[in-house]
Amino acid sequence: GLYRGFCANLANMLMENGSPRACTVIGWNDAYWWCCNLWMAFAVFYQLHKMLVAARKARRHYPPSLRRITIESISIHSFSAIM
């Protein structure tokens, strides 16, 4: 994606082009991106699943609050950075 390409170009620009340190930074960025993307997809899938189950049971579905979405998103990004 655009973000991954930006980080790779930035790492190459700030360090010597093609240096091992730049490759390490790019590798860690890719690991963060994959981890974050997969967990975020799981969080969206979980909310979609809850909505579809409520629709199947003909029950009203209340979307999560903005506070809950923000906390989940920050948690996913923090967890991905630690991984």
Side-chain angles (χ1 to χ4, degrees):
L2 180 63
Y3 173 74
R4 288 173 54 200
F6 172 76
C7 285
N9 289 336
L10 184 64
N12 277 325
M13 184 182 75
L14 295 177
M15 300 172 195
E16 295 176 20
N17 201 7
S19 74
R21 284 186 15 193
C23 292
T24 302
V25 169
I26 293 167
W28 278 108
N29 178 61
D30 281 348
Y32 164 78
W33 185 86
W34 276 104
C35 186
C36 186
N37 197 24
L38 290 173
W39 280 107
M40 196 66 73
F42 175 76
V44 170
F45 173 76
Y46 178 71
Q47 291 300 326
L48 182 62
H49 176 72
K50 283 176 45 176
M51 184 177 69
L52 291 173
V53 168
R56 183 175 183 193
K57 294 179 180 181
R59 300 260 159 76
R60 174 137 171 83
H61 171 71
Y62 296 98
S65 67
L66 185 59
R67 183 175 188 270
R68 180 178 171 103
I69 292 170
T70 303
I71 290 171
E72 284 183 8
S73 179
I74 290 171
S75 299
I76 289 170
H77 282 283
S78 300
F79 176 74
S80 297
I82 293 170
M83 292 293 288

